[in-house]
Amino acid sequence: MNYRILFTIESLFELGPVQELKILTDALATRGYDVHLAILGEQRSEANQWLHPEIKVHLLNQDDRTPLHSLRDCFSIVPELRKLIHTLSPDLVHAWCGQAEILTLIATRNLPLMQPLPFKHLISTRLTVPREMGFRQQIFENYLGDTPNFTIVAPHESIKTKLIELGKLKSQIEIISNSVNPQQGALQSSVRETLREQLGLPQNIYLAGTVAPLIHRSRLKDLIWATDLLTCIRQDFHFLIMGTGPQLNRLRRFAGLTEAADHIHFISHPEPSLIQGLDFYWHPHFQEPISANLLSAMAAEIPSIAVYGEGTDEIIRHQESGFAVNFGARDEFARWTKFLIEKPEESKVLARQGRELVEGAFPSKAMVNSYITLYEQKIKSAHPA
């Protein structure tokens, strides 16, 4: 049986959590599911340019050009979301990352004197390690989630462990790993040329990049320092940061204080394909276990360098699928990138082996089938035949 599923998401930043959501929703729509997507925060691109044509999109936030603030926007979004759920009568509501979870939990809570909402189960996907919150906020969030029709999905055990530490019930948490679709390698040369033109750079430079929220936990200063080290001996090297966040101005100012200021670039809202225009991909943190962007870079045969530990050790096998570095080791990012520049044949072998590993270990079909199995299990347990 094909069900009606309503997804809620904070924004449509294509290189953020949307990557995995797009893989899942495209597959569900192709298999005949009635898929709806409610955007609760920013909308800076037209969804119909990259979503499956059968997916229906609903924009709930009237202030759709600024980041989502749960307290400020709650009063307008929660009534709109409740109204949408009443209209659609979905079998499942699925909150996808960020503040979408807390707003969806508030909106779907059955309260006295209010008509119960017509859905069978609420699922929330968390792709990042949760941060510590204030005591009252944590108590409130745990209270909202303390209901038998709520399940949290995480891609890695490290997220599950942290959620349990913060008071979530172990029985409510499922593990479904991230996945990757095979990339169109033939597009890489044209995207590479386009990206350099967009940055105003010559075609013969080497470009490393990363995708991350611009916050302290992303460790982007480590990569700026690594760029400063490498450009001392390689003036043809540049570094690109792709993402949005509150630390944009601070990072620009920090980069401006280095000798590599002219070699560090920022793009807030890149096209999804731009990641294929990189020569190297850098991943400096553990906040996104089984990182979708790291998977995508490796699937596009981009040589990748990442910190080694929980959430990356399944992807990066040192000198086999990529280069592993110690946490905070800026010099190691610079050193291994220099090696890749000077050893192009070894670089190609490493990139090919990285692609083979992620495509074999993290196929999209496995992720989609795991979610479908979970959907069917929760719907049938809520309403036995």
Side-chain angles (χ1 to χ4, degrees):
M1 178 179 179
N2 293 340
Y3 302 107
R4 174 173 291 173
I5 305 174
L6 171 63
F7 290 89
T8 62
I9 190 166
E10 183 174 341
S11 72
L12 287 180
F13 174 52
E14 295 89 334
L15 292 177
V18 172
Q19 280 194 94
E20 293 299 310
L21 178 62
K22 183 178 185 300
I23 293 174
L24 175 59
T25 54
D26 280 2
L28 292 174
T30 299
R31 298 188 189 193
Y33 285 76
D34 186 8
V35 179
H36 294 255
L37 176 60
I39 305 167
L40 307 184
E42 290 180 278
Q43 184 187 23
R44 291 184 176 268
S45 61
E46 292 297 328
N48 57 12
Q49 293 179 358
W50 50 270
L51 285 178
H52 191 284
E54 294 299 319
I55 297 174
K56 293 85 174 177
V57 178
H58 310 268
L59 181 62
L60 301 189
N61 186 7
Q62 295 178 353
D63 181 16
D64 64 350
R65 292 293 174 179
T66 60
L68 185 63
H69 300 277
S70 56
L71 291 179
R72 187 192 70 186
D73 296 328
C74 177
F75 297 102
S76 61
I77 291 176
V78 167
E80 289 295 318
L81 183 54
R82 289 185 65 89
K83 181 179 178 181
L84 181 63
I85 295 173
H86 274 296
T87 301
L88 295 178
S89 296
D91 295 287
L92 281 162
V93 178
H94 191 155
W96 197 268
C97 302
Q99 297 187 58
E101 178 184 302
I102 187 69
L103 289 172
T104 306
L105 278 169
I106 294 171
T108 55
R109 190 76 177 183
N110 286 326
L111 301 174
L113 305 179
M114 297 186 71
Q115 183 180 357
L117 292 173
F119 73 98
K120 300 178 178 66
H121 202 81
L122 173 63
I123 294 175
S124 174
T125 291
R126 295 226 185 168
L127 299 183
T128 60
V129 177
R131 61 180 177 84
E132 298 284 349
M133 293 185 290
F135 177 75
R136 292 181 180 179
Q137 184 178 354
Q138 191 64 61
I139 291 294
F140 178 61
E141 185 177 305
N142 290 342
Y143 162 74
L144 290 175
D146 187 14
T147 172
N149 71 332
F150 178 54
T151 300
I152 300 173
V153 176
H156 194 265
E157 285 289 341
S158 61
I159 299 179
K160 180 177 181 178
T161 300
K162 186 64 177 179
L163 287 170
I164 294 172
E165 290 177 2
L166 295 175
K168 299 295 189 295
L169 298 177
K170 182 178 180 180
S171 59
Q172 286 185 314
I173 306 172
E174 301 282 343
I175 301 295
I176 298 178
S177 182
N178 286 339
S179 67
V180 65
N181 276 331
Q183 302 292 314
Q184 298 295 325
L187 296 175
Q188 194 164 349
S189 59
S190 61
V191 175
R192 186 180 187 278
E193 180 178 343
T194 300
L195 179 56
R196 280 150 182 76
E197 289 178 354
Q198 183 174 339
L199 297 174
L201 298 174
Q203 294 296 322
N204 61 348
I205 59 99
Y206 295 96
L207 183 64
T210 194
V211 180
L214 307 188
I215 56 177
H216 175 71
R217 295 194 301 163
S218 297
R219 304 288 301 191
L220 294 173
K221 285 186 178 180
D222 289 346
L223 303 187
I224 292 174
W225 273 350
T227 303
D228 194 37
L229 290 171
L230 185 53
T231 52
C232 290
I233 54 176
R234 297 288 320 200
Q235 283 295 308
D236 56 352
F237 175 78
H238 289 251
F239 175 57
L240 173 63
I241 296 174
M242 293 179 276
T244 61
Q247 287 204 332
L248 174 60
N249 291 333
R250 290 184 180 182
L251 289 169
R252 287 186 184 275
R253 185 164 56 249
F254 180 77
L257 296 174
T258 69
E259 295 293 331
D262 294 337
H263 295 252
I264 299 167
H265 312 274
F266 295 83
I267 298 180
S268 294
H269 296 277
E271 294 294 326
S273 61
L274 282 187
I275 199 170
Q276 296 188 43
L278 301 174
D279 296 304
F280 317 105
Y281 189 83
W282 287 357
H283 184 78
H285 60 85
F286 297 123
Q287 297 306 307
E288 299 173 8
I290 317 295
S291 166
N293 290 303
L294 180 58
L295 291 177
S296 295
M298 295 174 68
E301 289 201 6
I302 298 171
S304 298
I305 305 171
V307 291
Y308 190 77
E310 275 193 315
T312 62
D313 52 4
E314 298 92 335
I315 304 172
I316 296 293
R317 298 175 182 173
H318 188 54
Q319 299 188 44
E320 180 182 340
S321 64
F323 283 122
V325 302
N326 292 304
F327 184 75
R330 303 130 186 170
D331 60 316
E332 294 181 22
F333 278 100
R335 185 185 308 131
W336 287 120
T337 303
K338 179 177 179 291
F339 173 87
L340 292 169
I341 291 173
E342 297 174 353
K343 301 286 185 179
E345 293 304 317
E346 288 86 343
S347 178
K348 290 179 182 178
V349 172
L350 188 81
R352 175 176 52 79
Q353 292 175 168
R355 176 183 59 78
E356 292 171 352
L357 185 147
V358 298
E359 288 185 356
F362 304 98
S364 59
K365 185 177 180 180
M367 183 267 280
V368 172
N369 287 340
S370 295
Y371 269 111
I372 290 176
T373 299
L374 177 65
Y375 293 160
E376 293 180 347
Q377 172 191 340
K378 296 304 178 182
I379 290 174
K380 290 177 181 177
S381 63
H383 289 265

